Amino acid sequence: MDSKNQPSKTVYAKTVKPPVIQIGPIGWIRKNLFSDWFNSVLTVITVIFLIKTVPPLVTWAFVDSLWFSTGAECHEAGGACWSVVTGNFRFIIFGFYPHDQHWRPFLAMILLAGLLFYSQNRDHWNKYLAYGWILGLFLMGLLMKGGILGLDTVESTQWGGLPLTLILSIFGLTAAYPMGVLLALGRQSRMPIIQSLCIVYIELIRGVPLISLLFMSSVVFPLFLPEGVSFNNILRAQVAIILFTAAYIAEVVRGGLQGMARGQYEAAESLGLNYVQTMRLVILPQALKIVIPPSVSILISAFKDTSLVVIIALYDLLKTTQSTLTNPEWMGFSAEAYIFVAMIYFTCCFFMSNYSRRLERELNRSNR
Amino acid sequence: MNQENLKNDDALQSREAVIEIKNLHKWFGEMHVLKDISMTVRKGERIVICGPSGSGKSTLIRCINRLEEHQRGRIIVHGVELNNNMKNIEKIRADVGMVFQHFNLFPHLTILENLTLGPIWVRKVPKKEALDTAMYYLEKVHISEQAKKYPGQLSGGQQQRVAIARSLCMKPNIMLFDEPTSALDPEMVKEVLDVMISLAQEGMTMLVVSHEMGFAKSVAHRVLFMDFGQILEKNTPKEFFENPQHERSRLFISQILH
């Protein structure tokens, strides 16, 4: 053969499709529900459980239920009494806010929802959006408090329900996050005094429950004030929530900072960036991205923790619900009322975690 | 390229010294990693530093822009002494570019943003001008078509060329290279070395920690051999690789040549 000098021809193996074993719904069921005897037993038990529980639940919640009735009618009927929610809707949502002024907190909440919705898109993140938020928060305060522009003054002691929960959460979280970042940076600082101050702060706050902080701010703190001087109760609760959440955020952010490679600092330093520039432009954008999931779980739990302000007699969403139930007419329908409140909380938390997942995905896409 | 022309620089000895290192000592805890190092680098001079791992060669060049702090001795860059004065450190860092073994690009920024970050924030260059400079150097390292991508989308060799361009955007007078090719796949080494050679042709002062013999032979004026935190041999590349004087360098060269 004179193929000696010829380069040998490569024969490529043919590409074939993976073997098709089982497809279609039957295949799926066999694979996922009845793959072995243990799996099959679990499937059967689950199905029996669902048959036993779901139909009665549906009957209770939708078939036998009353939606718009008085409490007395409810007591006679067997199903769910959603009337407890519809009949007291405005009180549950707005608390003791003057009845004829309910449009004001309502408008404030619409404003907030609009801002949140607009801020979802990362393309909108610029300094004008920041101004928009400052303006928006100011307007919300104005709407709630009134006193000028012909609006009646509504003292903050009358604020309550969902607007109060949202105010405590939104202001709490927006203030706590930057503070937590600063604390985390302080804890990493090379200056021993700053470092130890931050460590003491973080450990102290994390070592006590939020309830005790709220008590301190509403009971102990006024003892130190001169007579006649008093702080707004909501403001005190707000400060306690901010201080508490910031300590947790600090620890999460610190985790992200420690995850940064030494080389990133070195590259920034060798370009001549100073500390603030290095942190702002190079380290924090990466570190904060790493900690999106744990940050969001802190934000979610902080949002739910605002319900603890009931113990210092603030009428947040949970407290207004609870006091509705102390009315003899509606006594005994706590399941319905709490299901309603739970759904509000769940909706908010679900949006938060959903959004965080989306954000994470978008950031990952741009980096890879 | 005319290799002899590149190195035949009679006037080198009479040029101004840009880096002066005098009796430098450094310890990592108890470990004495740099022992009484003295050297002078003149304008336009290109020095390759080699030696076994742990010999202190990386530490030496990292001391020059204060990524490591020295404990005794003096380092003077362009007449500015490197000490705890932050002003001096910033002045020297702006004058000295550094290229790392692992590139250390900023993964959250595009290539273009990586290149303009330093000029815009440190040198306060207007954005438009910084972008033009960035594109100029990207073209120079043959990578301008990747400007909008993120570092993670580039190969190792491309990333290292971007890192070189990033340093050049700061218009440094001196470039330090810390094993720039040792983290690269073999087929990418050449593209990075080519960029470094063209930089050398333009007369850049370069300190290169590297074992690339071909590179040393073609562009370096001097090769320093380090071990145990000391400079054991200073020689011309040709002499060093063909006829090393010190027994440690002889052993080292026999090992890198197998």
Side-chain angles (χ1 to χ4, degrees):
Chain A
M1 298 276 279
D2 75 355
S3 66
K4 246 189 208 162
N5 296 329
Q6 302 252 318
S8 66
K9 250 195 191 157
T10 316
V11 179
Y12 292 102
K14 238 167 69 190
T15 319
V16 286
K17 290 214 168 113
V20 181
I21 303 169
Q22 290 156 322
I23 48 168
I26 308 253
W28 185 90
I29 288 173
R30 280 188 64 179
K31 195 174 153 212
N32 291 292
L33 301 179
F34 298 98
S35 60
D36 57 20
W37 69 267
F38 181 67
N39 206 338
S40 311
V41 169
L42 278 186
T43 304
V44 170
I45 291 177
T46 312
V47 168
I48 293 173
F49 178 77
L50 288 177
I51 290 172
K52 288 266 179 215
T53 56
V54 171
L57 196 68
V58 170
T59 317
W60 175 79
F62 300 107
V63 181
D64 295 343
S65 61
L66 289 172
W67 290 79
F68 303 96
S69 65
T70 62
E73 289 172 80
C74 269
H75 280 291
E76 279 160 27
C81 175
W82 298 114
S83 314
V84 66
V85 175
T86 51
N88 300 290
F89 189 74
R90 286 176 74 162
F91 180 74
I92 290 178
I93 297 293
F94 297 116
F96 291 112
Y97 206 89
H99 205 266
D100 56 335
Q101 302 287 330
H102 278 178
W103 62 272
R104 281 159 53 179
F106 181 68
L107 200 61
M109 285 198 292
I110 296 284
L111 194 63
L112 178 68
L115 270 174
L116 285 173
F117 184 77
Y118 185 77
S119 310
Q120 276 199 356
N121 190 338
R122 284 199 309 132
D123 297 338
H124 296 164
W125 291 6
N126 53 34
K127 66 173 184 241
Y128 299 109
L129 183 63
Y131 296 149
W133 267 98
I134 293 169
L135 187 71
L137 291 178
F138 177 74
L139 272 178
M140 277 180 244
L142 198 72
L143 275 169
M144 293 291 290
K145 178 97 187 177
I148 52 167
L149 297 173
L151 294 173
D152 294 339
T153 307
V154 178
E155 285 307 324
S156 56
T157 43
Q158 291 174 288
W159 298 6
L162 187 58
L164 180 63
T165 297
L166 289 178
I167 286 175
L168 288 174
S169 317
I170 298 283
F171 279 95
L173 301 184
T174 42
Y177 209 88
M179 184 175 164
V181 171
L182 287 181
L183 280 168
L185 291 176
R187 192 168 182 166
Q188 299 251 304
S189 164
R190 280 185 212 143
M191 284 173 268
I193 294 179
I194 291 182
Q195 192 193 21
S196 32
L197 276 178
C198 289
I199 292 179
V200 166
Y201 175 84
I202 292 169
E203 295 305 333
L204 211 60
I205 297 280
R206 291 204 312 158
V208 296
L210 177 58
I211 290 200
S212 65
L213 271 185
L214 289 169
F215 263 132
M216 294 255 282
S217 72
S218 75
V219 181
V220 182
F221 180 61
L223 296 179
F224 297 104
L225 290 175
E227 209 147 322
V229 177
S230 79
F231 262 106
N232 180 330
N233 218 4
I234 292 182
L235 190 64
R236 283 193 306 230
Q238 182 75 83
V239 169
I241 288 172
I242 292 172
L243 295 181
F244 186 78
T245 312
Y248 281 86
I249 296 214
E251 282 303 273
V252 162
V253 172
R254 186 168 71 101
L257 289 175
Q258 281 174 340
M260 294 299 303
R262 182 90 202 99
Q264 292 291 307
Y265 291 92
E266 290 180 350
E269 277 175 31
S270 72
L271 282 179
L273 297 175
N274 61 31
Y275 175 80
V276 176
Q277 291 169 335
T278 304
M279 286 301 162
R280 201 188 120 196
L281 301 168
V282 177
I283 304 300
L284 283 178
Q286 298 183 60
L288 293 184
K289 194 194 102 189
I290 303 174
V291 299
I292 287 177
S295 305
V296 170
S297 56
I298 285 181
L299 297 184
I300 287 176
S301 76
F303 172 67
K304 292 179 297 182
D305 281 352
T306 56
S307 57
L308 289 174
V309 297
V310 295
I311 61 132
I312 57 168
L314 291 182
Y315 274 74
D316 82 318
L317 184 59
L318 203 61
K319 182 68 181 172
T320 52
T321 312
Q322 207 181 4
S323 40
T324 306
L325 295 169
T326 54
N327 181 342
E329 187 186 351
W330 301 108
M331 220 176 257
F333 300 116
S334 47
E336 292 87 338
Y338 285 130
I339 284 175
F340 171 68
V341 178
M343 267 162 29
I344 294 182
Y345 274 105
F346 176 78
T347 310
C348 294
C349 295
F350 180 74
F351 273 114
M352 274 199 256
S353 68
N354 218 8
Y355 178 62
S356 87
R357 250 177 297 150
R358 205 181 93 194
L359 193 61
E360 224 179 311
R361 230 180 8 245
E362 280 176 17
L363 290 172
N364 275 341
R365 195 183 308 141
S366 65
N367 281 5
R368 259 159 225 166
Chain B
M1 183 184 57
N2 190 335
Q3 294 192 358
E4 286 315 306
N5 247 358
L6 195 55
K7 287 188 293 174
N8 194 1
D9 232 337
D10 293 331
L12 196 64
Q13 286 310 309
S14 59
R15 291 211 195 145
E16 56 165 323
V18 288
I19 302 176
E20 283 176 273
I21 298 175
K22 288 174 188 161
N23 308 103
L24 184 74
H25 288 267
K26 167 152 188 71
W27 288 265
F28 281 131
E30 290 283 298
M31 207 165 58
H32 199 176
V33 288
L34 291 180
K35 300 170 188 161
D36 201 27
I37 306 266
S38 293
M39 64 185 282
T40 304
V41 182
R42 294 183 186 280
K43 191 167 166 42
E45 192 172 15
R46 294 178 291 277
I47 296 176
V48 166
I49 305 170
C50 58
S53 77
S55 59
K57 52 197 191 317
S58 287
T59 312
L60 174 62
I61 70 163
R62 285 161 61 87
C63 278
I64 295 173
N65 68 352
R66 240 320 142 104
L67 290 179
E68 302 286 354
E69 203 173 322
H70 59 277
Q71 279 98 14
R72 207 186 285 169
R74 305 177 69 187
I75 299 177
I76 298 161
V77 181
H78 274 293
V80 181
E81 167 132 28
L82 198 54
N83 49 26
N84 284 326
N85 184 339
M86 233 17 238
K87 278 251 159 58
N88 287 2
I89 295 177
E90 278 169 22
K91 213 181 272 178
I92 289 172
R93 279 183 179 156
D95 199 36
V96 179
M98 176 106 186
V99 174
F100 299 89
Q101 182 179 6
H102 296 289
F103 335 132
N104 297 352
L105 295 176
F106 305 129
H108 61 301
L109 301 177
T110 63
I111 301 306
L112 217 47
E113 287 166 341
N114 265 278
L115 265 64
T116 52
L117 190 75
I120 288 175
W121 290 90
V122 180
R123 290 229 185 262
K124 312 285 180 205
V125 172
K127 196 172 175 203
K128 174 85 182 59
E129 193 186 324
L131 281 172
D132 291 344
T133 315
M135 281 316 289
Y136 170 77
Y137 282 112
L138 278 182
E139 260 155 46
K140 217 165 144 173
V141 300
H142 316 297
I143 212 158
S144 49
E145 69 282 0
Q146 317 275 14
K148 293 273 188 295
K149 289 193 181 167
Y150 285 87
Q153 297 168 307
L154 269 53
S155 74
Q158 289 173 322
Q159 289 194 45
Q160 191 61 297
R161 285 185 281 149
V162 171
I164 293 173
R166 177 174 70 177
S167 292
L168 292 176
C169 281
M170 293 295 286
K171 308 269 171 74
N173 289 307
I174 302 162
M175 287 285 284
L176 307 175
F177 293 83
D178 187 3
E179 308 207 24
T181 56
S182 51
L184 297 177
D185 289 337
E187 76 267 26
M188 293 170 184
V189 170
K190 187 173 176 296
E191 63 188 56
V192 172
L193 290 181
D194 284 347
V195 167
M196 290 169 65
I197 288 171
S198 73
L199 207 57
Q201 284 169 322
E202 287 164 22
M204 176 65 80
T205 311
M206 296 163 78
L207 261 76
V208 185
V209 172
S210 174
H211 298 156
E212 295 294 337
M213 231 168 42
F215 174 76
K217 277 185 182 164
S218 63
V219 305
H221 297 103
R222 278 193 287 163
V223 172
L224 304 187
F225 177 76
M226 286 185 72
D227 202 0
F228 310 114
Q230 301 166 64
I231 297 175
L232 294 183
E233 183 169 345
K234 295 184 190 185
N235 218 332
T236 62
K238 191 168 152 55
E239 275 293 296
F240 177 76
F241 287 112
E242 281 161 22
N243 187 19
Q245 300 303 304
H246 200 279
E247 58 171 317
R248 287 290 307 169
S249 22
R250 229 170 285 155
L251 181 67
F252 177 74
I253 286 166
S254 73
Q255 278 165 346
I256 63 170
L257 292 179
H258 309 300

